Amino acid sequence: MLRLAEPGVSSLPARPPPSVHGDPLPGANRERFSIPSAKLIQLPDSVVEDTFAAIKSMEIRGAGRIARAAAEALKASALASEARTPLQLVAELTNQGDRLREARPTAVSLPNSVNFVLMGANRGLAGRLKTEALRRLVVSLCDDFIERSTNAVNMIGEIGAKRIVNGDLVLTHCNSEAVTQILLTAKAQKKEFEVMVTETRPRYQGRITAAILAKKGLEVSLIPDSASRLYMHEVDKVIVGADAIASNGAVINKIGTSTLAVVAHETRTRFYVAAETYKLSPKTLLGDLVEIEQRSPLEVVSEKWMRENPGVKVKNPSFDVTPAEYIDLIITEQGVYPAQGIVFLMKELYPEPERLGSR
Ligand code: RUB
């Protein structure tokens, strides 16, 4: 296994099996990955600003998708750059990477994607590449990240599907392409099982998952988040995605995930997390905490309601933390790990976390 400094993606399998159903990236915003060719002639900063805005507004959402969108933006920016020197090109990309990292604070896939590209670009600079060669290097690093990410999701589908057996009722929360891939792979393998999806208030990403799965012919039911305890005794497995995984094995995912984990623990229901290795947060090895994004109260109540009830503070945390002891297994493209053991994979993939900058 390679031990490179690039975060997470460096040692992914080069060619995992292709998607069994030809739809490796289920999700509402899949088309956003391919930046239309018109964007390639946009000014570099405006490509990055468009992507920043789309991630911030959640037009592009989900940890894997935003990581690939950032790589797409850096690629388009490198192609459109008018930089005359290698130093200038890297300086531009560094500023743009900083901007993209700020779009959402919790999903570590975003800085991991940007860092992968920028660390490679800096190596090219140190190796005295000329401007055009450096531009080509950046483009290939971006393509590489996107391809490895897509392959990782497919591999998680293959590995995770082994955990689904006939007769299962699988509960999931929010909309994770890693989880969806597991379910679709199991379905393609002709396994007979049902899926229950929580609505995932306040943004209702669970509806996206339910709609995708139902369109693919799976048996799906949708429940309000608050109904999870009522149904948990019927559930065989819970599978959720991750925005970040800390060195102590805690998983940060959509708000409500930790409640599901506690409820699953009470009924001894297995609780699995599906996550590509670029969801590992190397800075947590140095003691850093993962920031929990607070979003607008207007995702919870209307402006009118806020005006009529000025005494009420509305809080809208987007993610929560599930401690390792509530997690049975983390399913990555590199295999399955107990949450408490994920730190060993993290140390192998990110041997120098101190070189990774602020996030
Ligand atoms: C999405 C969410 C997903 C993870 C993993 O939150 O919490 O479970 O990002 O998704 P939001 P994936 O809708 O706020 O982005 O497996 O697709 O990376």
Side-chain angles (χ1 to χ4, degrees), residues 58 61-64 104 174 176-178 205 242-243 253-254 279:
M58 291 174 62
R61 47 147 299 281
R104 289 192 78 184
C174 195
S176 153
E177 62 183 5
Q205 293 95 325
D243 281 79
N253 190 51
K254 178 55 55 194
K279 313 269 178 72

Side-chain angles (χ1 to χ4, degrees), residues 192-321:
E192 286 176 16
F193 60 97
E194 291 183 26
V195 183
M196 184 174 271
V197 188
T198 52
E199 277 185 312
T200 319
R201 291 172 187 238
R203 299 281 299 225
Y204 299 102
Q205 293 95 325
R207 292 183 188 176
I208 302 173
T209 306
I212 291 169
L213 297 178
K215 280 193 190 110
K216 295 281 184 184
L218 278 80
E219 294 279 331
V220 188
S221 52
L222 184 71
I223 60 166
D225 299 347
S226 48
S228 65
R229 188 159 183 257
L230 186 66
Y231 288 110
M232 193 57 87
H233 66 281
E234 295 173 22
V235 172
D236 297 289
K237 279 138 210 177
V238 179
I239 315 182
V240 296
D243 281 79
I245 300 178
S247 58
N248 63 0
V251 166
I252 295 87
N253 190 51
K254 178 55 55 194
I255 190 76
T257 301
S258 66
T259 312
L260 285 178
V262 172
V263 174
H265 194 68
E266 185 194 37
T267 53
R268 309 286 187 271
T269 304
R270 293 199 178 94
F271 191 91
Y272 299 151
V273 175
E276 307 89 288
T277 51
Y278 51 80
K279 313 269 178 72
L280 300 178
S281 172
K283 298 289 281 185
T284 59
L285 280 167
L286 304 176
D288 285 27
L289 298 175
V290 176
E291 183 182 339
I292 301 293
E293 178 181 8
Q294 290 285 339
R295 294 191 63 87
S296 165
L298 297 178
E299 292 182 349
V300 181
V301 295
S302 67
E303 220 159 347
K304 178 169 173 290
W305 195 95
M306 295 256 292
R307 269 198 311 277
E308 288 167 357
N309 297 278
V312 181
K313 285 194 203 95
V314 181
K315 299 189 177 180
N316 184 18
S318 199
F319 300 97
D320 64 19
V321 183

Side-chain angles (χ1 to χ4, degrees), residues 149-170:
S149 163
T150 307
N151 288 343
V153 175
N154 288 337
M155 185 58 100
I156 288 172
E158 295 290 328
I159 295 174
K162 293 181 188 169
R163 295 281 163 164
I164 297 181
V165 297
N166 286 339
D168 269 354
L169 174 61
V170 180

